[in-house]
Amino acid sequence: GPAMRPEAPFLSWCTAQGIASPLQLQGIGTSYRYLASPNDQPEGRILEVPLDACIVDSTKEALAERLAHERSIGSKSKYGPYLDVLPDLESFSNFPRFWTPKRRDFVFDYDGGEVERRVATDERKELDPWAYACVSSRTNFLNDYRYSLTPLLDFLNHLSTVGTSASINDEKLSLSINRELKAGKEVYISYGALSNIDTLCDYGFVSPDNPCNIEMMEIRLL
């Protein structure tokens, strides 16, 4: 028969880890997976994840090294089913640091050098490119000043106008939004007040109607 898609073992693993959500994973087997509500629901909590189900470290660099290690031990990793649903390196081709030279040159010529400066600032040649791309695009910041790869939360996409709150109680991360949930509709959270340069470099997309967008120019004094 056909091979099982990795989402099924991942969702079983989430249940075993005590991860709870009224939302369902959609887009299975495609490059665009997201969380949606199966029915109309009032605003409030959309996700609860025990911290010991997360991969956590003090810096993004340390977290990337931890993620690369977990992948290197394969089925011995307790996070194996989660690692299996993370995107592969080719999926990050929209991120400026992975652009072809032709695409880079085209954009860098027209944007006043903004993206080029950001790519240079973000570069970490000593780190595994896949692990660092996953960490750059999928981590959330915990209120104890650590970074976390949080299973299921990282399938929630960004919309800057959604009021989003997170709290940690009893070693569990809870996430709530101020929007009513509509049956079958994708559920979004806000990653913060991010400009289009932030979302392009960290997540590989821009929003044409982003209320947080700013334009910057480098001015050289003669």
Side-chain angles (χ1 to χ4, degrees), residues 138-198:
R138 304 180 81 84
T139 50
N140 56 286
F141 192 58
L142 300 176
N143 56 10
D144 62 359
Y145 302 103
R146 293 183 300 165
Y147 292 91
S148 173
L149 281 164
T150 305
L152 223 54
L153 186 154
D154 54 1
F155 287 107
L156 287 160
N157 293 305
H158 170 69
L159 188 64
S160 58
T161 54
V162 178
T164 307
S165 60
S167 60
I168 296 176
N169 295 294
D170 300 325
E171 292 298 299
K172 289 182 178 179
L173 172 66
S174 292
L175 194 68
S176 299
I177 60 172
N178 68 350
R179 293 271 179 101
E180 293 180 355
L181 308 183
K182 297 298 181 186
K185 297 292 186 183
E186 179 170 3
V187 175
Y188 295 91
I189 60 172
S190 172
Y191 298 169
L194 303 176
S195 72
N196 279 347
I197 289 292
D198 294 326

Side-chain angles (χ1 to χ4, degrees), residues 59-65 97-98 104 117-133 135-136 147 202:
T59 67
K60 287 185 176 181
E61 290 80 6
L63 187 54
E65 290 179 348
R97 77 185 82 150
F98 298 117
R104 273 192 177 201
R117 285 193 296 275
R118 177 64 185 268
V119 168
T121 302
D122 289 349
E123 197 161 44
R124 299 289 185 276
K125 288 184 176 175
E126 74 280 6
L127 296 174
D128 177 290
W130 168 82
Y132 189 55
V135 166
S136 298
Y147 292 91
D202 289 342

Side-chain angles (χ1 to χ4, degrees), residues 7-64:
E7 289 90 350
F10 165 65
L11 293 172
S12 296
W13 178 86
C14 285
T15 301
Q17 298 297 317
I19 297 173
S21 175
L23 309 180
Q24 293 178 341
L25 185 61
Q26 304 293 324
I28 289 176
T30 74
S31 60
Y32 188 80
R33 292 174 296 189
Y34 60 94
L35 295 179
S37 179
N39 45 42
D40 291 352
Q41 298 182 52
E43 64 181 65
R45 183 183 297 174
I46 57 169
L47 184 63
E48 188 173 77
V49 184
L51 290 182
D52 63 8
C54 306
I55 307 176
V56 179
D57 222 309
S58 55
T59 67
K60 287 185 176 181
E61 290 80 6
L63 187 54

